[in-house]
Amino acid sequence: MNRTKGDEEEYWNSSKFKAFTFDDEDDELSQLKESKRAVNSLRDFVDDDDEDDLERVSWTGEPVGSISWSIKETAGNSGSSHEREQLKNRNSFSTYAQLPKPASAYSLSSFFRGRTRPGSFQSLSDALSDTPAKSYAPELGRPKGEYRDYSNDWSPSDTVRRLRKGKVCSLERFRSLQDKIQLLEEAVSMHDGNVITAVLIFLKRTLSKEILFRELEVRQVALRHLIHFLKEIGDQKLLLDLFRFLDRTEELALSHYREHLNIQDPEKRKEFLKTCIGLPFSAEDSAHIQDHYTLLERQIIIEANDRHLELAGQTEVFRKHPRKASILNMPLVTTLFYSCFYHYTEAEGTFSSPVNLKKTFKIPDKQYVLTALAARAKLRAWHDVDALFTTKVLQEYVNLVEDVDTKLNLATKFKCHDVVIDTCRDLKDRQQLLAYRSKVDKGSAEEEKIDALLNSSQIRWKN
């Protein structure tokens, strides 16, 4: 049959039979090469460190290093020179057909394909079932690093590194005090607050507080982390014990004072604050503690009285402007605003008087005027707002008057007390200052200012 050149190429390319080439090899040799490549590829799946975990076998299936393998290896080395020459030239085409067959009943291709060589007397599955304790093919072992995860065989430095990476790592294997302290020092050297806190939580749970405090006393970084952690979780008891051990009296007092935040009942909180007054605070903190106690004491009195007035319904300001919240535990400025709103016209001798609050807690003039203006403006008490503005403005303008007698007359007329007192002081006029003392409110800040000037040894009075 005549075929064109194109038809012949299509026939050979589409045929299920392959054309002869010099690259063709014996089928058995191909299987052998394939098996060898498969075994060599096992190294890609196993770490170098795990080579000791794998059982090595020879091409005949004998474990490397066994007695039978040694005998065959010795016999092979003592073979004829003709055999060695064949092995050297096995890459040539002429020697492919002369390669000796393995003596074993199994080929490597059989191992991976799951069948025995032709004519063999036993299958692979039968052989393995007959010898369950012996493996003829290497197993893929788990890397040693993974086994160490489960065995917790980590040094303190390795453990800290794993904690820093966020990996789960049990610390229970560190049982001796030396191991625990080494673990803490490794954590501190990492400069990672989370790791340090994790180790401190472990030490807090596994060490007595005396030993823990003693070891942390010489490790200030870890000590600061523990103090911060105890404050965050609110463990006041252990924190107080730590401050007592360290003899930090001021921090002990502050930590004790902080407990008042957990007391909701006003009377119990007041009594607790009273016990804090004698604690070893700094001078500034002691003044704040005293003011806190006094303010709460005033608030309790004002709250009880105003609740009674509100229920009675006889006071106009409470009828028109009912209270929206209790005054208890409010800040000082809020209490002053409340007092200016509901008790602005009361005499200075009452606890709820704004002037009394200003004097007791030494509220600055600017703060007082600003708060009073806000409270009276909210009530639309414009007369009081005008009076506050007028007094403040008049003092500034009266001070600008050059004639002393005119300045004193104007200041006395418009009750610019500070202008009168400062002018008498500049004139060193003791008698006039004594006379003006009777015109200011008793117990007021102005009276105290006059008394301080009269008793001062730095002023030489003319009379």
Side-chain angles (χ1 to χ4, degrees), residues 144-154 170 173:
K144 289 182 179 179
E146 295 186 16
Y147 286 113
R148 293 178 69 190
D149 281 350
Y150 296 102
S151 64
N152 279 330
D153 186 17
W154 297 97
S170 175
R173 66 177 299 274

Side-chain angles (χ1 to χ4, degrees), residues 416-428:
C416 299
H417 302 306
D418 288 336
V419 176
V420 176
I421 296 171
D422 293 341
T423 303
C424 292
R425 180 198 60 196
D426 296 339
L427 293 174
K428 296 183 175 59

Side-chain angles (χ1 to χ4, degrees), residues 136-376:
Y136 288 93
E139 294 183 1
L140 292 178
R142 189 189 297 269
K144 289 182 179 179
E146 295 186 16
Y147 286 113
R148 293 178 69 190
D149 281 350
Y150 296 102
S151 64
N152 279 330
D153 186 17
W154 297 97
S155 66
S157 59
D158 291 336
T159 302
V160 168
R161 289 193 199 96
R162 289 179 61 80
L163 289 174
R164 190 178 185 184
K165 294 177 180 178
K167 295 185 178 180
V168 177
C169 188
S170 175
L171 305 181
E172 300 299 330
R173 66 177 299 274
F174 300 100
R175 302 193 177 189
S176 68
L177 177 62
Q178 182 180 359
D179 289 343
K180 293 176 181 179
I181 297 304
Q182 185 179 358
L183 181 66
L184 177 62
E185 290 177 346
E186 289 288 345
V188 171
S189 66
M190 282 287 182
H191 306 288
D192 191 312
N194 293 331
V195 176
I196 296 174
T197 303
V199 174
L200 286 173
I201 293 174
F202 169 67
L203 297 184
K204 173 178 172 287
R205 181 169 54 85
T206 58
L207 293 178
S208 66
K209 62 182 180 181
E210 291 79 11
I211 296 177
L212 178 63
F213 295 166
R214 183 190 68 202
E215 296 296 335
L216 293 182
E217 187 177 12
V218 295
R219 296 171 175 86
Q220 292 298 311
V221 175
L223 178 62
R224 289 194 296 270
H225 277 80
L226 180 63
I227 292 174
H228 178 75
F229 172 71
L230 294 177
K231 289 179 180 179
E232 288 293 320
I233 65 174
D235 194 343
Q236 288 294 119
K237 185 178 183 303
L238 187 60
L239 190 60
L240 291 174
D241 292 340
L242 177 58
F243 286 143
R244 288 192 189 97
F245 177 86
L246 299 173
D247 197 26
R248 295 187 181 182
T249 56
E250 187 174 342
E251 291 183 74
L252 175 63
L254 287 172
S255 181
H256 180 72
Y257 165 71
R258 196 176 290 112
E259 290 186 19
H260 83 273
L261 297 172
N262 301 322
I263 304 175
Q264 301 300 325
D265 183 77
E267 288 290 344
K268 291 182 179 179
R269 179 179 285 196
K270 184 188 76 170
E271 293 303 320
F272 178 82
L273 290 174
K274 189 175 182 180
T275 64
C276 296
I277 294 176
L279 295 178
F281 293 101
S282 63
E284 183 179 1
D285 290 338
S286 296
H288 289 311
I289 300 299
Q290 180 66 57
D291 286 345
H292 190 175
Y293 170 75
T294 305
L295 178 62
L296 182 57
E297 185 180 38
R298 295 283 183 91
Q299 288 174 343
I300 292 174
I301 296 173
I302 295 172
E303 177 67 22
N305 183 63
D306 289 358
R307 189 186 301 115
H308 175 72
L309 294 175
E310 191 174 26
L311 291 174
Q314 297 178 357
T315 307
E316 183 181 1
V317 66
F318 286 109
R319 289 199 310 268
K320 291 183 177 181
H321 306 280
R323 300 188 310 156
K324 296 181 180 179
S326 170
I327 193 62
L328 295 174
N329 298 318
M330 292 296 177
L332 176 58
V333 175
T334 305
T335 305
L336 178 62
F337 180 91
Y338 178 93
S339 181
C340 291
F341 193 91
Y342 289 106
H343 305 282
Y344 188 71
T345 59
E346 289 185 7
E348 185 181 343
T350 61
F351 286 137
S352 55
S353 168
V355 179
N356 190 304
L357 289 173
K358 178 179 182 295
K359 174 186 173 182
T360 302
F361 297 102
K362 299 179 175 59
I363 300 175
D365 290 337
K366 290 182 179 180
Q367 181 69 67
Y368 176 81
V369 171
L370 181 63
T371 306
L373 281 171
R376 302 318 291 174

